[in-house]
Structure formats: structure tokens, C-alpha cells
Amino acid sequence: EEEDSDEEEEEEEDGCVDSPLPMFTKNGPRDCAWVAEKATKRCMMSKVSSHCPDTCESCEEIGCVDSGRKFYVGNRTRKCRHFAKKPIQRCVGDDIEQTCRVSCG
């Protein structure tokens, strides 16, 4: 695992980072650490690679894009399109910017 931490640091410099916010799933909130536990399987789930591009090693393939997943902000669920409508008012904080990378970056 020592090697993985070096790769993560390099990718973060490129702006390709996992969202720190938990995704909405039918089984409750799930974060990128959960994805990493079974990355091969879970990264194939719908739009997970856009939410966790570092974990899923999808940075080169999909680039720096908004998460396609619904995610939790506090106790509410949102998608990036909510923030894209009023970015100045809504794109507040690193968590949102690291999740809605295009709309808020």
C-alpha cells in the first residue's frame, strides 16, 4: 500500500481527486473508502468512477468531470446540476468543488 499513497499524491496535484462526500445508494451513504474495499467490482457500478476517479483509476479515461452520482450534503441528497445552476451561491467549500469539479472548479 505504500506505493498507492505516492500515486494518490501525484494525481491530486493534477486535480483528479475522489469526492470526500458520500454517495447515495439504496443501502445508505457510501464513500470512496467503501469503493476502495472492492474497487474492481464497485468501480463498475453506475457513475462510481466519476465520483471516485482516484480510487477507480479513471482520471485519464474520463478526465476531471463532475460526479454523476447523487451524493449527500449534510442530510440532503444533491446532484452537481443543483450547484451548476447557481455556482457562486452554492459552490461553497472544498467538498463541493472536489465533487462537482467542472461546475464548481
Side-chain angles (χ1 to χ4, degrees):
E1 288 190 3
E2 293 292 318
E3 293 174 16
D4 289 347
S5 63
D6 291 341
E7 287 177 23
E8 286 174 13
E9 287 175 25
E10 286 175 29
E11 289 174 3
E12 285 184 24
E13 288 172 17
D14 296 339
C16 186
V17 296
D18 288 345
S19 170
L21 298 171
M23 296 177 285
F24 174 83
T25 72
K26 64 183 179 190
N27 297 317
R30 298 285 190 249
D31 62 12
C32 292
W34 173 82
V35 173
E37 291 171 9
K38 296 181 181 176
T40 305
K41 178 182 176 186
R42 292 176 176 162
C43 288
M44 292 173 60
M45 295 166 60
S46 177
K47 301 175 184 168
V48 168
S49 62
S50 68
H51 197 77
C52 306
D54 188 24
T55 295
C56 295
E57 298 180 358
S58 58
C59 299
E60 285 185 28
E61 179 188 336
I62 63 172
C64 191
V65 297
D66 282 353
S67 171
R69 297 287 303 208
K70 188 183 289 187
F71 53 90
Y72 287 92
V73 180
N75 61 357
R76 302 187 77 165
T77 58
R78 296 282 187 210
K79 285 190 163 186
C80 285
R81 65 177 176 238
H82 168 78
F83 298 92
K85 289 177 184 173
K86 295 183 179 179
I88 294 170
Q89 296 95 328
R90 296 179 178 169
C91 292
V92 178
D94 290 344
D95 290 357
I96 300 299
E97 289 178 7
Q98 292 171 356
T99 305
C100 303
R101 302 165 194 95
V102 175
S103 297
C104 296

